[in-house]
Amino acid sequence: STGVIQSGSATKSKDTRERKLKSPFKSPSQMFSESKVFMPEDTISYFADPGQRGAIAVVMNNNLDGMTVHKYKDPSTLIELFLEYKHLRRKLIMENVPPFTGATIPSSRSFKLGENCGLMEGIARGMFISCEKVSPKKWQSIYTGLKGLTGPKRKRKLKDHAAALYPSLRPTLVTCDAILIAHFFITNR
């Protein structure tokens, strides 16, 4: 075995062939229906939490019922999601990182947060995808019970809100912010 596969007239080694990307839609009927044709003017919105262990929620045409969420492992995660929907209008909405570190945000975490934010925005803009930023204070303003909470207690409360709104997504401490940013952005427009 040579380790090379043939696809049409092009050949690719097994190590470099493109991975089949998983659609964020649970079934083809989510994307297609008898009454609606999947059109290039449809919009895919990516809602990103650029944290050290962040996530990206994907929503088509502001339909929160079809939302999917993906853990952000490295820039390739975002690139793959962007490329999967390159035929559609796309926009990235991401949490704006704080301009300074404080007692609740160690400098090492703040650095990673800023680095991820810059990478996400740079990749999006390089692929001609519009970007918007929303501050944590703004998107968290619609969720109750957060006042006075910091650190892990605040994060658990955010996870509880995401689980109450979207139990089928099985929100985790990693994915809850992206889910709630999507919910805030779409329901408050």
Side-chain angles (χ1 to χ4, degrees), residues 5-12:
I5 58 171
Q6 222 153 342
S7 173
S9 62
T11 61
K12 296 180 182 180

Side-chain angles (χ1 to χ4, degrees), residues 73-102:
K73 295 176 180 104
D74 57 49
S76 67
T77 307
L78 190 62
I79 293 168
E80 288 173 358
L81 287 170
F82 283 167
L83 289 175
E84 185 169 5
Y85 301 104
K86 65 184 177 189
H87 57 287
L88 300 177
R89 286 185 304 159
R90 300 164 292 170
K91 61 182 174 181
L92 172 66
I93 296 88
M94 58 193 285
E95 183 177 57
N96 198 11
V97 299
F100 59 89
T101 61

Side-chain angles (χ1 to χ4, degrees), residues 125-187:
R125 291 191 187 282
M127 296 175 85
F128 304 101
I129 297 170
S130 66
C131 297
E132 289 185 49
K133 293 181 184 174
V134 60
S135 72
K137 184 176 183 176
K138 187 171 184 178
W139 72 259
Q140 291 175 13
S141 68
I142 66 168
Y143 304 109
T144 60
L146 298 175
K147 190 171 184 169
L149 296 179
T150 60
K153 287 182 181 180
R154 185 178 189 87
K155 192 70 167 183
R156 279 192 294 278
K157 187 67 174 173
L158 289 168
K159 178 184 169 269
D160 292 345
H161 280 293
L165 290 165
Y166 303 98
S168 65
L169 292 177
R170 295 173 150 140
T172 66
L173 294 173
V174 173
T175 62
C176 65
D177 284 7
I179 293 167
L180 293 176
I181 292 167
H183 180 82
F184 166 81
F185 197 86
I186 290 173
T187 60

Side-chain angles (χ1 to χ4, degrees), residues 49-84:
D49 166 22
Q52 190 169 11
R53 290 182 297 156
I56 304 155
V58 181
V59 177
M60 182 174 181
N61 293 332
N62 294 336
N63 178 7
L64 289 167
D65 293 334
M67 179 177 10
T68 60
V69 66
H70 310 264
K71 290 180 182 175
Y72 178 79
K73 295 176 180 104
D74 57 49
S76 67
T77 307
L78 190 62
I79 293 168
E80 288 173 358
L81 287 170
F82 283 167
L83 289 175
E84 185 169 5

